[in-house]
Amino acid sequence: MTGDETNPGAPAPGTPGPSSLPAAATAAAEVAVAADAEAPPAVTVTVTEGSLVVLVGTSGAGKSTFARRHFRPTEVVSSDTCRALVADDENDQSASADAFDVLYYIVGKRLAAGRLTVVDATNVQAAARKRLIAIAHEHDARPAAIVLDVPPGVCAERTRLRQDRDLPASVIPRQHRELRASLAGLQKEGFRRVHVLHGADEVAAAEVVREKRRVDLRHLTGPFDLVGDVHGCRAELESLLPRLGYRIVRDEAGRPVDAVPPAGRTAVFVGDLVDRGPDTPGVLRLVMGMVAAGHALCVSGNHEQKLARALDGERVTLSYGLRESLEQLESEPEGFRSEAREFIRGLADHYLLDGGDLVVCHAGLPERYHGRSSGRVRSHALYGETTGETDEYGLPVRHPWAEEYRGRALVVYGHTPLPVASFLHNTVCLDTGCVFGGGLTALRYPERELVTVEAERQWYAPVRPLLSDAPGGREGRPLDLADVAGRRVVETALHGPVAVRAESAAAALETMSRSAVDPRLLVHLPPAVPPGPASHRPGYREHPDEVFAAYRADGVRHVLCEEWHPGSRAVVLVSRDDAALARRFGPAGPGAVWSRTGGALLGDEECAALLLRLRAAAERAGLFEELDTGWLLLDATLAAWPVTADGPSPHRGYAALGAVAGAALPSVLAALERAADRGLEVAAQAGRQRRRAADVRAFTDAYRRFARPGEGQSGVRLAPFQVLAGEGANLALRPREEQLARIDRLVAADRAAGPVAGGAAGPGAPVDRMGGPVLYPTARLAVDTGDEASTAAAVAWWEELTGAGGAPGMVVKPPVSPMRGAAGEGRPGGLVQPAVKVRGREYLRLVHGPESPDHPDHPEQRGQRGHRERPRGGALGPKRSLALREYALGLEALDRLAGGEPLWRVHEPVFAVLALEAEPVDPRL
């Protein structure tokens, strides 16, 4: 604490002392002091931090001297100083208009920052004060006036002694008359406090005392237990407090009158203690006792304010449970009712806690209102802000301030009942509708742990149902088309803002509406994986050496090469039991399996059987227990392209192409042979058609190796390679070796146990008819990109994997992601690709078609010039950019899912990934 804070009358550090003032002003001050040999009692002037202090007094009243004595130089905004800033002369009255423009600007900026601001000007005219009061109100600051009512004779003598000031004789008498005429009406003008110092002696003896704003409890750092809207539900509050570790204290009648917290914790109530519930007096008695004992804090809710007005005898509408509260209070003694009325009247509208990192209020508060004091702030804190519209139940539509909030402080509030509490943009609503049959919820801070007890019953029927069957409705905010339609910008922690074009959003909506799984389950879409740089080796379009070189250039010395399984990229949501998924996602059964575009990859029967097998393996491997979760989200490959419920699998498209070509080319060759027999020159054409036939045979052999369709469930093969998330945790950022070690345990558990007996997962569970192994491991090889022997071994491994068409290729990944690349040689050191694929020659035959000139075995690729330039040109850059954006969006979705944010917030980045898939990028990449 600095000296000026402990002794407000002392000059602040760096404040000019008397010797630095003009000689004439110093002499004037000495004359004034000498004239009053007997100093009067000191007058205390109380100033609130963050407020606007307007000094009012005639020229020569000593305002500048008073300001220097009691305030920091940076806190004082002087009209003389502003005049000097614009005219190099503080006495140049012709510059006053510009000078006050500067003064008002500085005052506004300081108040916007919440800083105490003192205006040193005469301010004797109401018009000048009106402008300053308006600025204070604009920034929700408390305006206060300190009037220096010094006799005009003293002011004139001081002015005469100043060599730098020459005022006409009529100025001071006129200013004094204006000041005297203003005294009676200062509070009506809008000043919250008015201090009048009469005479030079009182001005000289005055002491300025600074006080914190009432809502400023930043010195209290917790830990805290913040409790949502109680609404007269005393029994539920008595159940919740012991769950939080509090010991209930009762009076001789057995009524709870206090709750002693554990380990120095403090309870904080967000308001709406009263109305609707069965025991408003009991809740008030308990909370008032906790506050009086220093065990709790409480802010006001809108229901407290209405009850207080009713207890004061004002006319209020007896609705929304107020009638019941008054009836319950009628049986209480008058002394209790008076005590309750005074308690409610004394409640603040919000509090700043923990150094400003925590804000507690009833209805929510945007950052610009934190710590401020005005009718506007109080109204928002108690009632929130509405849009002026009403919903289908006739209730006001509230402005979604929390969706726009980006502040540093965690804002904890209630007021709007939600089925479950969830975090949104560093805010959390704790009103989970206890009185409506929901639950009473508390937040442990700083742990950010939510604790809920269920309501004993529905005590009051809500106008608007607490739960909705719409996707996301169980969280209080159903999915809305407006959230995803049109151009969107999604903020990501990893990659900043990611823009989604309107036309891409439209394409994503089309995909989502036609083929997506239950949107309540669609919480993640994996990113695209780009290929490596073009290879200049003869006969190769892609080669591991170029990928290793690219990572090495980014400063990544060690990478992990992983087997790339043939099949479709799949996201798998599997639960330990059906109830575990229902708690987070609603009725969801055992889980779901979906593709990169959100569509179901399996029919219902196959999906249920696969999830049953996966659930049993995860249980045996101990993953649920180890990760402390009731469900797991996995990234995997669904191998062998099984026939899906939506129609034929991809391999049938390849088969049709091969069949058509195989049927047409023999007749073409036969015709060419007959033409040759007749002596026609068709050797070149015949050679070209024979090469085409060979290409078709090679193409057919390739797709047959990659696509191994099975009958029904026997064709299902799953190769998981990453655990993405569990309850309360984003696991995608764990090191790759740790991830794959868990996957190895999962696969080993499945293979050791084999098929699951029918009904093992509970009554009604699907019977596992899958024969043999279902889960497949992912082979990998650690590589040092700077070691030739290590990279050579990796190339040999890749050639072995892909040479016979057994695997499409391999995926190269840094050991941890995300990583930033090394800067240098014009590189800014941006985000490193989290994965790069290197496809084998046989798989590329499928990608580019049976006779594509892009395939390395095509005659055009076998020439003396070696491998020609890729036809896609610069398309690889957009593909890499797309992959990074989708990766950032995928991680953002997992962060929001783990943070317990509502479904619409999780869907925002998920939908953006789907929209980006509609971007014009070469599909062969």
Side-chain angles (χ1 to χ4, degrees), residues 635-680:
D635 203 350
T637 298
L638 191 62
W641 288 324
V643 176
T644 70
D646 296 331
S649 61
H651 83 274
R652 294 194 175 181
Y654 293 128
L657 179 61
V660 169
L665 287 174
S667 60
V668 172
L669 287 172
L672 289 171
E673 287 175 359
R674 289 194 298 272
D677 291 343
R678 295 198 303 269
L680 297 177

Side-chain angles (χ1 to χ4, degrees), residues 461-794:
V463 176
R464 177 170 49 214
L466 193 60
L467 291 171
S468 169
D469 293 333
R474 64 186 299 273
E475 298 169 325
R477 172 69 155 75
L479 300 182
D480 192 333
L481 180 65
D483 291 334
V484 293
R487 186 181 186 276
R488 314 291 300 175
V489 176
V490 182
E491 290 290 339
T492 66
L494 179 64
H495 204 52
V498 176
V500 176
R501 300 187 305 168
E503 52 269 34
S504 298
L509 277 172
E510 176 75 11
T511 302
M512 181 94 51
S513 62
R514 286 181 178 273
S515 59
V517 297
D518 187 332
R520 292 172 298 183
L521 307 180
L522 192 60
V523 293
H524 180 75
L525 289 179
V529 178
S535 174
H536 294 285
R537 290 171 176 263
Y540 288 92
R541 287 177 51 85
E542 297 175 9
H543 194 274
D545 281 344
E546 278 75 20
V547 175
F548 297 148
Y551 272 122
R552 187 166 59 247
D554 281 331
V556 181
R557 180 67 185 261
H558 299 280
V559 295
L560 205 62
C561 297
E562 299 178 16
E563 177 186 5
W564 180 8
H565 296 274
S568 300
R569 185 81 172 267
V571 180
V572 183
L573 178 63
V574 61
S575 65
R576 194 171 194 174
D577 55 68
D578 291 359
L581 273 188
R583 286 193 298 270
R584 179 64 177 92
F585 303 98
V593 182
W594 61 88
S595 68
R596 283 199 62 239
T597 55
L601 280 170
L602 295 170
D604 292 344
E605 187 178 355
E606 291 91 344
C607 183
L610 173 62
L611 292 171
L612 171 68
R613 205 48 190 270
L614 191 56
R615 172 189 288 181
E619 189 69 70
R620 285 192 294 269
L623 295 187
F624 290 122
E625 183 175 358
E626 175 185 324
L627 298 173
D628 190 23
T629 182
W631 52 267
L632 292 170
L633 191 67
L634 305 176
D635 203 350
T637 298
L638 191 62
W641 288 324
V643 176
T644 70
D646 296 331
S649 61
H651 83 274
R652 294 194 175 181
Y654 293 128
L657 179 61
V660 169
L665 287 174
S667 60
V668 172
L669 287 172
L672 289 171
E673 287 175 359
R674 289 194 298 272
D677 291 343
R678 295 198 303 269
L680 297 177
E681 292 295 330
V682 293
Q685 293 93 328
R688 184 163 59 252
Q689 296 306 321
R690 290 190 189 94
R691 286 194 296 270
R692 293 182 66 194
D695 286 341
V696 169
R697 287 193 298 272
F699 177 84
T700 303
D701 291 343
Y703 83 69
R704 284 174 175 169
R705 284 192 291 268
F706 286 118
R708 298 181 295 272
E711 293 298 325
Q713 295 169 349
S714 63
V716 175
R717 300 288 186 268
L718 188 75
F721 53 83
Q722 188 170 20
V723 183
L724 294 170
E727 287 181 280
N730 178 357
L731 304 172
L733 303 182
R734 301 289 178 87
R736 290 299 306 152
E737 284 288 7
E738 177 185 327
Q739 288 274 9
L740 291 171
R742 286 200 179 99
I743 296 301
D744 287 346
R745 287 164 47 199
L746 184 69
V747 172
D750 174 69
R751 296 194 167 197
V756 180
V767 176
D768 182 4
R769 293 190 294 271
M770 295 182 174
V774 172
L775 302 185
Y776 278 70
T778 296
R780 66 268 192 185
L781 182 69
V783 177
D784 183 342
T785 62
D787 181 84
E788 290 186 9
S790 180
T791 57

